[in-house]
Amino acid sequence: MKTPSFHIIPLPTQIAGAARREVNAGATDHVLITVDSPASSPCRHCLRWALPGERVILFPYAAIPSGHPYSETGPIFVHANECQRYSATNKYPADFRNGRVFRAYDSNYNIIDAQVMDGSESEVVIESLFQNPDTAFVDVRSVTHGCFTFRVQRA
Ligand SMILES: [Zn+2]
């Protein structure tokens, strides 16, 4: 079997934990939501859609740090209760094969390429973006809402 040339990077556990502490402390930019429809709230930590009835925290996350032209902070969800960080980092997460856009960044956080899913396998799109030696990482985002879903790095 071919070894994938990429590595999935879910949200770090410490950031999910901090969001859970912040919402309990009443931070105004952290909101607790009970999910009411399927495939509406992707948890960035376990990389699964939260199920109807599950509670999630909505909060702002700086996927691209400040101090760069493409700096970007935007809303993400994590499960309100502890969940297991996605561990199959050599496999593309099955829940996010639709409705994603792939943005390639160089090592200075500049966007150098982007592709919308076009029916090709996610792995094929990612590997084509990594064909460019300047691609340092690829961010996977919602094509409709623009929200950061997860990062992909070279293996
Ligand atoms: Zn989760």
Side-chain angles (χ1 to χ4, degrees), residues 20 43-48 78-79 81-84:
R20 291 167 186 144
C43 176
R44 274 58 165 198
H45 185 244
C46 61
L47 295 183
R48 300 183 64 89
V78 292
H79 277 115
N81 294 324
E82 279 194 31
C83 59
Q84 191 172 3

Side-chain angles (χ1 to χ4, degrees), residues 1-143:
M1 200 174 89
K2 186 171 166 284
T3 308
S5 59
F6 60 81
H7 206 73
I8 305 294
I9 314 290
L11 191 74
T13 299
Q14 65 192 55
I15 293 177
R20 291 167 186 144
R21 286 193 298 277
E22 288 288 312
V23 80
N24 287 332
T28 57
D29 61 353
H30 285 53
V31 179
L32 198 57
I33 294 170
T34 301
V35 174
D36 60 10
S37 58
S40 64
S41 310
C43 176
R44 274 58 165 198
H45 185 244
C46 61
L47 295 183
R48 300 183 64 89
W49 293 110
L51 302 172
E54 284 186 324
R55 291 186 315 156
V56 292
I57 301 162
L58 179 63
F59 68 103
Y61 174 64
I64 303 299
S66 62
H68 304 277
Y70 286 93
S71 298
E72 198 160 353
T73 296
I76 63 169
F77 295 106
V78 292
H79 277 115
N81 294 324
E82 279 194 31
C83 59
Q84 191 172 3
R85 192 176 186 223
Y86 185 77
S87 60
T89 56
N90 61 347
K91 289 200 181 100
Y92 189 90
D95 279 11
F96 305 113
R97 289 202 173 273
N98 294 305
R100 300 297 116 182
V101 61
F102 300 87
R103 290 190 196 158
Y105 289 80
D106 67 16
S107 57
N108 293 317
Y109 297 102
N110 295 306
I111 296 179
I112 55 171
D113 201 352
Q115 281 192 44
V116 177
M117 265 181 190
D118 59 356
S120 307
E121 296 237 0
S122 313
E123 290 86 343
V124 172
V125 177
I126 290 167
E127 290 189 10
S128 76
L129 291 168
F130 279 131
Q131 298 269 307
N132 182 340
D134 290 337
T135 299
F137 61 92
V138 173
D139 275 1
V140 181
R141 288 177 169 260
S142 161
V143 73

